[in-house]
Amino acid sequence: MKIIGLTGGSGTGKGTVAARMRTLGAGWVDADAVYRTLCAQDTAMLAALDAAFGGVLDAHGALDRPKLAQVVFADPAKLAELTAITRPYIRAASLEALHAQADRPIVLYDAPTLFEAGVDDLCAQVVGVLADTETRVRRVMARDGLTEQAARARIDAQPDDGFYRARCDYIVQNDGDLAALWQQTDALYTILSKGEGI
C-alpha cells in the first residue's frame, strides 16, 4: 500500500478526482470526516477540548462545533491551541483508517490542509487538484448555494495555485469537462499504482 496525499482548494474538483480513483481501485480516507468522527466519539480529545475552552460539549457529550468555532476563530492564539490539541488525534485516527485499507495498491489521504497540518509526511507522493478561479467560483456557488461574493471570499482565503505547484508531486488541472478530467485521472492512477515517476 502507498499513501497518496490529495489536496486542493474549494471548487477545484478534488472530490471528483477521488471518486474516479476509487472506481479504479484506490482506497480513500477523508481527513475532514475523520475529524467529524473524533468530534462525536473520541472522549479523550473531547475532554481535552472542554478543559481548554470550557463548555464546548453539548448535552450528549459531543462537541458543539459552532460554539467552539465562535471561541477559536475570534482569537488566533486559541485557534493555534485547538490545532495543537486535535492534530495528534487526527493523525493517529487517519493512520489507523489508512492502514485498514492496506489491501489497496494506493490509498488517497484527502486533506484540504494537508501541508498546513503537517501530514504530508505520511504520504509517499502528493497530488494537487487545481482549477482557474472563475471555474472554482461557479462550482462553489452551485455546490454550496453561496453568493458570488461569499464564494470568492472563501477561495481568496485559501492558498493560491503557486502554493500547490511548489509542493505537490503531481498536478491535475481541472478546467475542462469530465471526460478530460477522467483522462488525466486515469493516467495518473496508472502511474501512482505502479510507483513510476513522470
Side-chain angles (χ1 to χ4, degrees):
M1 175 195 76
K2 186 162 62 167
I3 298 169
I4 302 295
L6 182 65
T7 192
S10 297
T12 57
K14 188 167 53 67
T16 306
V17 170
R20 180 65 174 181
M21 286 201 182
R22 291 171 73 190
T23 68
L24 298 171
W28 178 67
V29 173
D30 179 351
D32 289 342
V34 168
Y35 180 60
R36 285 193 298 272
T37 299
L38 289 170
C39 288
Q41 300 175 3
D42 192 295
T43 53
M45 186 184 87
L46 294 171
L49 291 173
D50 203 45
F53 303 111
V56 293
L57 302 185
D58 65 20
H60 305 288
L63 185 64
D64 184 334
R65 291 180 70 181
K67 190 170 186 179
L68 178 63
Q70 283 182 338
V71 173
V72 301
F73 290 123
D75 184 339
K78 288 185 178 176
L79 182 58
E81 187 179 359
L82 171 68
T83 302
I85 292 168
T86 58
R87 185 175 289 171
Y89 291 97
I90 296 169
R91 186 184 184 91
S94 294
L95 273 171
E96 186 177 336
L98 289 161
H99 287 295
Q101 300 177 63
D103 58 326
R104 304 296 181 110
I106 67 171
V107 181
L108 301 171
Y109 187 39
D110 186 342
T113 57
L114 184 82
F115 295 108
E116 299 92 324
V119 288
D120 55 300
D121 68 333
L122 301 177
C123 306
Q125 292 164 307
V126 178
V127 175
V129 184
L130 304 180
D132 71 77
T133 301
E134 297 310 310
T135 301
R136 292 176 64 190
V137 168
R138 286 194 304 273
R139 288 174 181 161
V140 171
M141 288 171 65
R143 183 190 68 199
D144 298 340
L146 297 180
T147 64
E148 181 178 348
Q149 183 179 1
R152 287 188 188 280
R154 178 183 295 181
I155 289 166
D156 288 346
Q158 297 174 351
D160 64 12
D161 288 0
F163 174 89
Y164 297 105
R165 290 189 187 282
R167 291 166 176 80
C168 295
D169 299 290
Y170 303 100
I171 294 293
V172 173
Q173 189 68 40
N174 182 22
D175 298 322
D177 61 16
L178 203 54
L181 179 62
W182 284 356
Q183 186 176 17
Q184 281 188 80
T185 302
D186 292 3
L188 182 55
Y189 180 81
T190 299
I191 291 165
L192 293 171
S193 59
K194 289 181 179 175
E196 298 170 0
I198 290 182

